[in-house]
Amino acid sequence: DIQMTQSPSSLSASVGDRVTITCQASQDISNYLNWFQQKPGKAPKLLIYDASNLETGVPSRFSGSGSGTDFTFTISSLQPEDIATYYCQQYDNLLLTFGGGTKVEIK
Amino acid sequence: QVQLVESGGGVVQPGRSLRLSCAASGFTFSNYAMHWVRQAPGKGLEWVAVMSYDGSNTYYADSVKGRFTISRDNSKNTLYLQMNSLRTEDTAVYYCARGGRRWGQGTLVTVSS
């Protein structure tokens, strides 16, 4: 089974800061990686698919990069409404694996 | 637009059974693999099970293998999760997801005596 290691598990940043989250796969997953945002009491929302593609309607301050085993998710300028937990997800054939999540807070 | 609506959650005693449903609309249900993913209170996301678009392939997380059964009725655009021999650690919000990308709002299952 493919394991996903996401870091950090939490971070605190100021409004306007650049925020970076990383996700490492235990084996090569090409670009089969999605990034989700989850706010309390809500379902996860897709932000980035196939490692670097911005989902329709998602603000351009969100971006993703990487391939193979190492991936990065970036918020270029943190906004108050970005307070949430972020998850990476790999998809290998029909199987899904999630990273442990990163809780983003405002400093 | 894509809509996934889960139902069937509730409070159940350990060892009992429960069946969840996920009603799909806004897309051709029979074209997509469908997943169940759960989230225990205060915890991260855990993939539970998947069924291929035509029902020919199913896979389960080790934590539910042998106790949970995923199924689908493409004529009714509905996905199911039959959960037997429930344990307290199965307590979670259960989400259905289309191909892993589009999610329903979830249904809460609480296993408690």
Side-chain angles (χ1 to χ4, degrees):
Chain A
D1 290 2
I2 298 174
Q3 309 301 318
M4 303 302 295
T5 303
Q6 185 174 340
S7 62
S9 57
S10 66
L11 66 88
S12 181
S14 300
V15 172
D17 281 356
R18 184 180 185 88
V19 168
T20 299
I21 298 169
T22 63
C23 210
Q24 185 171 58
S26 59
Q27 64 189 69
D28 190 337
I29 59 169
S30 185
N31 67 332
Y32 300 147
L33 185 103
N34 300 323
W35 289 96
F36 291 85
Q37 176 192 66
Q38 187 180 34
K39 296 185 177 181
K42 300 294 187 181
K45 173 189 173 184
L46 180 68
L47 300 180
I48 303 288
Y49 65 94
D50 295 345
S52 60
N53 295 290
L54 191 68
E55 175 71 350
T56 302
V58 173
S60 59
R61 64 180 180 273
F62 296 101
S63 65
S65 64
S67 66
T69 60
D70 295 303
F71 301 86
T72 301
F73 172 81
T74 300
I75 307 173
S76 60
S77 177
L78 185 68
Q79 300 302 304
E81 60 266 32
D82 301 336
I83 299 314
T85 300
Y86 295 83
Y87 294 92
C88 62
Q89 174 213 68
Q90 73 83 26
Y91 49 101
D92 169 44
N93 277 318
L94 290 177
L95 307 184
L96 305 179
T97 313
F98 295 92
T102 298
K103 187 173 183 179
V104 175
E105 298 176 324
I106 296 287
K107 191 181 295 182
Chain B
Q1 72 280 19
V2 174
Q3 194 165 13
L4 299 166
V5 180
E6 301 92 339
S7 61
V11 180
V12 61
Q13 293 179 327
R16 304 298 291 266
S17 299
L18 206 60
R19 188 176 86 153
L20 306 183
S21 299
C22 169
S25 60
F27 65 100
T28 304
F29 181 71
S30 58
N31 285 355
Y32 289 87
M34 295 294 297
H35 299 262
W36 287 100
V37 179
R38 69 184 180 182
Q39 187 171 36
K43 301 297 185 182
L45 300 168
E46 179 189 16
W47 173 77
V48 172
V50 61
M51 176 166 270
S52 60
Y53 71 98
D54 61 355
S56 61
N57 291 290
T58 58
Y59 299 97
Y60 298 92
D62 288 344
S63 58
V64 306
K65 203 172 293 182
R67 300 187 298 121
F68 290 11
T69 302
I70 189 172
S71 62
R72 64 192 296 162
D73 186 336
N74 284 348
S75 69
K76 294 183 178 179
N77 292 341
T78 303
L79 179 74
Y80 303 99
L81 185 68
Q82 178 67 42
M83 303 186 295
N84 298 333
S85 302
L86 282 161
R87 306 167 179 168
T88 55
E89 56 264 36
D90 295 319
T91 294
V93 175
Y94 285 74
Y95 297 98
C96 66
R98 186 192 81 170
R101 293 185 181 182
R102 298 277 184 265
W103 297 51
Q105 85 289 348
T107 187
L108 176 62
V109 172
T110 302
V111 184
S112 173
S113 54

